[in-house]
Every structure is written in C-alpha cells, then in structure tokens.
Amino acid sequence: MAENTGTGWTGGKNAFGGFAPGLVHYTDRVLFDEVWEREGLSKRDRSLVTVSALTALGKMDQLRFHLAFARQNGVTDEELREALLHLAFYSGWPNGMGATSVLKNIVEEQD
C-alpha cells in the first residue's frame, strides 16, 4: 500500500488495526482523505449531512462519532439540537430521541 499522503486520518486503523485491512483502507484513505476533503461542501456542511443521514437511519453507534466530529467542524450544540428536533419529524421520533440522547451524553462528558 502506498505511503499515506492524505490527512493522516487513522480512525479506521485505530478501530480495526490489521483485522479488516480493506475497511481500514476505504475508511482512512478514501472516505476521510478523499471524500471529506472535497471542495464542494465545507466540513461543517458535510457533518450536518452525515448527522442527518445517520439519524434518519437510526445508526446511533456511528452517530456518536459524527456528532462529536460535527462539533469539531464548527457546528454548535444549539444547531445540533435544532437539527435533531427537525429530523425527528422527518426520520421518526425514536430516531430523533435516540440521536438527542447521544448528543446529550457527548455534551455532558465534555462539560
């Protein structure tokens, strides 16, 4: 495999090490080094889109990372709370409640 010349993202490697090298490659090199770095959307906007998709799909395990990542990418807690309220009406109340619980835990852990 070629030397990493991207962002240095190692989330896939940290999660799976040598257990799932294909998943590590596509997560670290393609998803975060290429897709997240495209110029068409800001990272902030990509975070909001990703949070929306994961909430709508009820993917709370992945949402935990992406809500925290959205905060790093400049989305405020108030914006996230408002987005999750809005999403509850479009993606189902249980998904909105679950996502809000995940955000609440993140905020409380960091305060």
Side-chain angles (χ1 to χ4, degrees):
M1 200 173 287
E3 190 68 29
N4 182 5
T5 58
T7 63
W9 183 263
T10 58
K13 183 178 180 184
N14 294 344
F16 298 109
F19 180 75
L23 196 58
V24 168
H25 167 76
Y26 288 113
T27 299
D28 293 348
R29 302 294 193 279
V30 177
L31 180 57
F32 283 96
D33 280 353
E34 293 181 27
V35 175
W36 273 86
E37 295 300 318
R38 292 176 56 84
E39 294 181 11
L41 289 173
S42 67
K43 286 185 182 178
R44 181 186 187 286
D45 290 347
R46 287 185 192 280
S47 282
L48 284 169
V49 169
T50 303
V51 164
S52 297
L54 293 173
T55 298
L57 294 168
K59 302 299 183 185
M60 299 302 139
D61 288 342
Q62 294 294 311
L63 190 58
R64 178 165 178 73
F65 167 80
H66 279 285
L67 283 167
F69 196 47
R71 294 172 90 215
Q72 291 175 16
N73 287 334
V75 184
T76 68
D77 292 343
E78 183 58 36
E79 289 170 322
L80 288 169
R81 282 190 292 271
E82 190 64 27
L84 296 178
L85 172 63
H86 190 78
L87 283 162
F89 286 93
Y90 286 93
S91 67
W93 204 255
N95 287 349
M97 292 288 287
T100 301
S101 293
V102 172
L103 178 61
K104 181 178 183 282
N105 290 335
I106 291 167
V107 170
E108 287 175 352
E109 288 170 4
Q110 293 184 357
D111 285 347

